[in-house]
Amino acid sequence: MTLILHQLQPYHWALSGVLIGVITLLLLWLGNQRLGISTGFENLCSLVLKTAYFRRSEITGSQAWRLPFLAGLVLGGFLSAATSGGGWAPFWDLGSFDRAIGLGPAGKLVWMFAGGLLIGFGTRMAGGCTSGHGIFGIANLERASVESTLAFVAAGIVASNLIYRVGAA
């Protein structure tokens, strides 16, 4: 299998799984912290919004490591794209999505914005994001995380089938 962009060979999936597991265990053992991206978004919001919600100890107590972690995710994505051999450029061609839905650039922006709002709402409703529940919560055998992750997967299956099967018909 090759990656969609630049036809590169991907790393074996087990390597990523081991690295995520090591990071998760180190966060737990060394810092008593949970891995999750949505809390990082709350950390960013707490820098400018001074409400009580963003002043909770779980938010303010994790800024020292979580903000550099988020910066590393962005920087790592940029470096990966910039050094992959083919360069990086934004594009509007979304392949099978375009064939199924057929929106122009403005419609795609609206679609992505609406999707982001729904993801944000679901993240708050579930008490965390897919990475927090799916990686850390399930590793701790937390019932709420198992239920949330099953709901994430089921919603993804339904949405994909609606977009790519019903939308293409």
Side-chain angles (χ1 to χ4, degrees):
M1 178 180 99
T2 57
L3 297 176
I4 295 171
L5 296 176
H6 314 303
Q7 303 303 310
L8 299 172
Q9 291 296 318
Y11 293 116
H12 193 274
W13 58 266
L15 176 63
S16 298
V18 167
L19 290 173
I20 290 170
V22 167
I23 290 169
T24 300
L25 290 173
L26 286 174
L27 278 172
L28 179 62
W29 290 338
L30 299 177
N32 197 27
Q33 298 287 330
R34 299 176 62 94
L35 176 68
I37 304 304
S38 62
T39 307
F41 182 68
E42 290 178 338
N43 285 122
L44 288 174
C45 291
S46 75
L47 296 176
V48 293
L49 300 172
K50 306 301 180 195
T51 63
Y53 180 81
F54 293 116
R55 296 283 152 222
R56 301 182 335 260
S57 62
E58 62 238 46
I59 302 302
T60 58
S62 67
Q63 285 181 339
W65 72 268
R66 201 178 302 267
L67 292 175
F69 174 72
L70 291 176
L73 289 176
V74 173
L75 181 63
F78 172 77
L79 289 175
S80 175
T83 62
S84 64
W88 178 84
F91 59 92
W92 287 105
D93 179 21
L94 300 180
S96 57
F97 178 86
D98 287 338
R99 289 187 293 279
I101 304 298
L103 301 174
K108 290 177 190 178
L109 283 175
V110 170
W111 184 275
M112 288 183 246
F113 184 78
L117 288 176
L118 290 172
I119 288 171
F121 176 76
T123 296
R124 288 300 92 209
M125 192 167 113
C129 61
T130 53
S131 61
H133 282 300
I135 297 168
F136 198 91
I138 288 179
N140 282 328
L141 302 175
E142 296 173 9
R143 180 179 174 183
S145 291
V146 172
E147 292 169 350
S148 294
T149 303
L150 289 173
F152 296 149
V153 171
I157 291 169
V158 170
S160 295
N161 278 290
L162 285 174
I163 292 169
Y164 294 112
R165 292 180 193 252
V166 176

